[in-house]
Amino acid sequence: MTAVSLLPSRPSAPARPKKKHVSGDRLSAALMLIGVGLAMLWANLPGDTYETFWSMPAAFSIGGMEVTFTLHQIVNDALMTLFFFLVGLEVKRELTIGELTDRSRAAVPIVAALAGLVIPALVFLAFAGSTQAADAWGVVISTDTAFLLGALAIVGPKFPSRLRTFLLTLAVVDDIGALVVIGLFYSGGLSIWPLAAAVALMALLALVRYLPVGRGFAYSVLAIGLWIAVALGGIHPTLAGVAVALLIPVFAPRRSDVERTAELTLAFRESPNPAYAAAVTRSLRESLSINERIDNAWRPYIAYGVLPLFALANAGVHIDGQTLMDAAASPVAWGIVVGLVVGKFVGITGATLLMRVLGKGQLAPGLGLNRVAGGAALSGIGFTIALFIVPIAIDDPHTADLARVAVLAASVIAFLLGWATLVAGDRIWPPQPVGAKLVRPVDPDRDHLAGPLDARYTIVEYGDFECPFCSRATGSVDAVRAHFGDDILWVWRHLPLDGPHPHAQQAAQAAEAAGLQGRFYDMARLLFSRQSDLEVDDLFAYAGELGLDEERFAADFRSAKVLRRVQDDRLDAEVMDLNTTPTFFVNGKRHVGPYDSASLIRIVETPLSERHVK
């Protein structure tokens, strides 16, 4: 299932370095593998202690009411609700401010994901459609992204970020499809009154965001009530986690919230006391959406706790010669293996190729079909949702065991196939980093410079005047220049993001028009200080405020020279596949990570050989 994705069309939180992605992905996959290994070992010990343990009842009593669950149900129905809740948070975030908001870039992985859902199901039905387990086609539809990203980290191809982003986008759509399938096809008979209560609880959950205090407590109480109502209503209770997540708001960081936190921090510094400390803590927390705060806080517990425990509770299959022989002869097992391994590969790769041939979408620069094929092969690792659906869709215990064996076998084969495809593809078509280096050197005749041309260090910033996190909006440029003095040259280039910043293009034209009268940076400071007032009338008023020749300014504002100047910077950014502001190049190399003044100072002083490539 899905994990954190990169956000290309908003002023996003700083991207985490690749090494952290790799270590986290590997650790999560390693712990799940350990869970699988322990489950297999335990299930094959003498006796039936594995089945006996997970069938052990646990009773919960409230007043005169008592509810009994098995330990297996607690893991699959209760703890996995937290996992599905995390999936829902990711889906909401990607649909609202993430990859799925950029339709041209998202079109290919969306169609590929849909094909990766449908084709494996058809392949499974071709093998097992005439058996009593035909309803188990849902076992082969979903990719386990925790294992997928772990596998990608283990293979370790050069410059993996484009493929990783593609797979994450694909995974979100895969998740949505899997959740719809579970809700529609793998839930019991519906009961009207509990479902009516669930609808009422969802309405209350949607209103929690308007509470002045106690939102976390309200979400928790209503979420528990919704879980109970959904379970009583005949729908699998894990979907309550998705419903809650989709009702939790998500938004990009707002500059006003960040500034409010800075003001409170200054007040605390000048007069430290518990009231100011509490206010700073609350302001810091609320400057990020509750969606991102919960995701960041809970993800380690889910990845390193719930999922390995789920593997331990579900991967235990008694394997002997007879089981393997039965699996080799079982159309259900063959349908699962071929559906996951071949169906995912053919569906995702074929749909991507078709979209490219038809010209209906585009891949990110540097992401070739060979890389997509490798990712498609790895997508055949179907573990969490596959094992989750097995006991729901298959009543016969022996057939269910054969299905689990097939899921594990398919995951191993998919990993080996993906590894081979990526290694072979990279040898034939060696990958090249995209946007890692500045494509156009600093040109004093056209660039806007702050600092001496012969400075020891150079920072080139691509930004726009409506971006609340660009260097002059935050003041970080002043802190960096104060630290280095004449040893730093700061260069500004335009990257208007028309979607989130609809006034950025005309603000850039105003700055360039002012620059033709020698007042570029004076206009830039005004634009950053008045980001909420960037209409054309406002821009012309600022020209008068600076004492510019207003007739000349008006003529230059829409002149071909000014438009071409802004467009040239846009084209440079497009070649380097830049899509967020601010983006920095330090001594010609792209900086990936936090961009506060302290981080920029530290990266400037880091030798070039020690910086990682995106």
Side-chain angles (χ1 to χ4, degrees):
M1 301 301 289
T2 192
V4 181
S5 60
L6 299 177
L7 307 177
S9 59
R10 66 176 175 104
S12 59
R16 284 180 282 183
K18 181 181 71 172
K19 290 183 179 179
K20 291 185 180 179
H21 277 311
V22 170
S23 61
D25 294 341
R26 281 180 175 170
L27 178 58
S28 178
L31 290 175
M32 291 179 72
L33 283 174
I34 291 172
V36 172
L38 291 175
M40 298 287 288
L41 178 63
W42 187 1
N44 286 277
L45 291 175
D48 58 354
T49 57
Y50 181 85
E51 291 81 3
T52 300
F53 177 82
W54 292 111
S55 299
M56 188 182 304
F60 300 89
S61 178
I62 302 177
M65 183 177 66
E66 184 176 289
V67 181
T68 302
F69 297 99
T70 64
L71 294 182
H72 188 267
Q73 287 175 323
I74 291 175
V75 172
N76 281 32
D77 294 353
L79 292 182
M80 285 300 286
T81 300
L82 302 177
F83 169 72
F84 281 98
F85 173 65
L86 218 60
V87 170
L89 291 177
E90 179 70 14
V91 169
K92 175 68 174 287
R93 190 162 58 251
E94 293 297 328
L95 288 171
T96 306
I97 56 177
E99 284 283 348
L100 298 185
T101 62
D102 184 350
R103 294 186 180 182
S104 64
R105 182 67 58 84
V108 176
I110 287 174
V111 173
L114 294 175
L117 291 167
V118 174
I119 300 300
L122 294 177
V123 170
F124 175 85
L125 290 174
F127 281 85
S130 60
T131 70
Q132 293 182 344
D135 290 342
W137 56 268
V139 172
V140 300
I141 64 171
S142 185
T143 296
D144 190 309
T145 309
F147 267 130
L148 172 63
L149 297 180
L152 184 63
I154 291 170
V155 175
K158 289 185 177 180
F159 319 125
S161 62
R162 298 296 176 194
L163 176 58
R164 192 177 191 278
T165 301
F166 178 89
L167 293 177
L168 285 174
T169 307
L170 182 147
V172 171
V173 182
D174 183 279
D175 291 344
I176 295 172
L179 296 174
V180 170
V181 165
I182 292 172
L184 293 179
F185 299 100
Y186 296 108
S187 295
L190 301 182
S191 180
I192 298 299
W193 290 112
L195 290 180
V199 172
L201 289 168
M202 291 173 63
L204 293 175
L205 280 162
L207 297 174
V208 168
R209 69 183 69 187
Y210 301 110
L211 291 177
V213 293
R215 290 191 291 269
F217 177 76
Y219 276 126
S220 300
V221 172
L222 292 173
I224 293 172
L226 181 62
W227 187 90
I228 295 171
V230 168
L232 294 175
I235 297 176
H236 203 280
T238 52
L239 294 184
V242 181
V244 174
L246 294 178
L247 292 169
I248 288 179
V250 61
F251 52 82
R254 293 185 287 256
R255 184 67 194 165
S256 58
D257 293 336
V258 176
E259 292 291 356
R260 172 62 177 164
T261 302
E263 293 171 2
L264 290 170
T265 303
L266 179 61
F268 177 74
R269 181 179 180 183
E270 294 173 349
S271 177
N273 61 71
Y276 280 154
V280 170
T281 301
R282 184 169 56 254
S283 182
L284 279 170
R285 184 175 64 250
E286 293 181 353
S287 63
L288 294 173
S289 69
I290 187 172
N291 176 296
E292 294 176 288
R293 298 201 308 271
I294 294 176
D295 185 282
N296 185 68
W298 286 25
R299 187 163 294 276
Y301 300 102
I302 305 301
Y304 308 144
V306 171
L307 291 181
L309 184 60
F310 173 82
L312 181 63
N314 288 272
V317 181
H318 181 73
I319 296 181
D320 53 23
Q322 186 61 47
T323 302
L324 294 177
M325 289 177 61
D326 289 347
S330 169
V332 174
W334 276 106
I336 291 173
V337 172
V338 179
L340 283 171
V341 175
V342 178
K344 284 287 185 182
F345 180 82
V346 172
I348 294 171
T349 307
T352 301
L353 178 60
L354 181 63
M355 290 290 286
R356 292 186 64 182
V357 170
L358 296 177
K360 298 298 184 180
Q362 60 180 354
L363 292 174
L367 180 60
L369 190 62
N370 62 304
R371 280 283 175 101
V372 172
L378 291 178
S379 297
I381 301 175
F383 183 81
T384 305
I385 293 300
L387 292 181
F388 182 83
I389 292 178
V390 164
I392 302 174
I394 303 175
D395 295 327
D396 178 57
H398 182 62
T399 305
D401 279 347
L402 299 183
R404 292 187 183 96
V405 170
V407 169
L408 298 176
S411 298
V412 172
I413 296 170
F415 172 69
L416 296 176
L417 177 62
W419 192 332
T421 304
L422 286 171
V423 170
D426 284 358
R427 285 183 179 177
I428 299 172
W429 300 282
Q432 300 295 326
V434 175
K437 296 181 179 179
L438 193 67
V439 296
R440 177 168 54 81
V442 175
D443 183 354
D445 293 330
R446 72 179 298 281
D447 280 319
H448 300 290
L449 314 178
L453 190 60
D454 59 351
R456 182 180 178 185
Y457 307 113
T458 301
I459 293 181
V460 177
E461 177 183 3
Y462 281 83
D464 71 36
F465 294 109
E466 202 171 356
C467 166
F469 299 98
C470 287
S471 67
R472 289 194 176 275
T474 63
S476 60
V477 56
D478 300 319
V480 175
R481 293 188 63 203
H483 178 86
F484 288 105
D486 289 341
D487 282 341
I488 194 79
L489 171 65
W490 198 285
V491 182
W492 171 269
R493 290 180 179 173
H494 301 288
L495 178 53
L497 298 182
D498 300 316
H501 305 148
H503 305 95
Q505 170 66 32
Q506 60 198 38
Q509 294 171 217
E512 287 299 327
L516 293 177
Q517 298 186 45
R519 305 292 296 278
F520 176 86
Y521 279 115
D522 293 328
M523 177 62 82
R525 278 189 287 272
L526 264 180
L527 296 174
F528 276 124
S529 66
R530 303 175 185 178
Q531 287 185 319
S532 60
D533 300 302
L534 295 179
E535 300 292 345
V536 173
D537 290 344
D538 298 319
L539 302 177
F540 278 75
Y542 301 154
E545 188 175 329
L546 291 174
L548 302 179
D549 183 328
E550 296 186 45
E551 290 187 6
R552 181 184 173 188
F553 177 86
D556 289 337
F557 178 76
R558 292 186 173 86
S559 68
K561 182 177 182 179
V562 162
L563 293 173
R564 187 167 54 249
R565 173 67 182 76
V566 177
Q567 183 64 14
D568 284 346
D569 284 354
R570 276 183 179 266
L571 293 175
D572 288 342
E574 182 178 340
V575 169
M576 295 183 289
D577 193 35
L578 309 185
N579 45 37
T580 60
T581 57
T583 296
F584 297 95
F585 289 83
V586 179
N587 294 331
K589 187 172 181 180
R590 187 173 179 178
H591 168 59
V592 179
Y595 43 76
D596 56 281
S597 57
S599 297
L600 289 175
I601 289 170
R602 184 167 56 253
I603 199 69
V604 167
E605 295 175 337
T606 300
L608 191 63
S609 59
E610 296 182 14
R611 300 186 214 148
H612 72 276
V613 178
K614 184 176 181 181

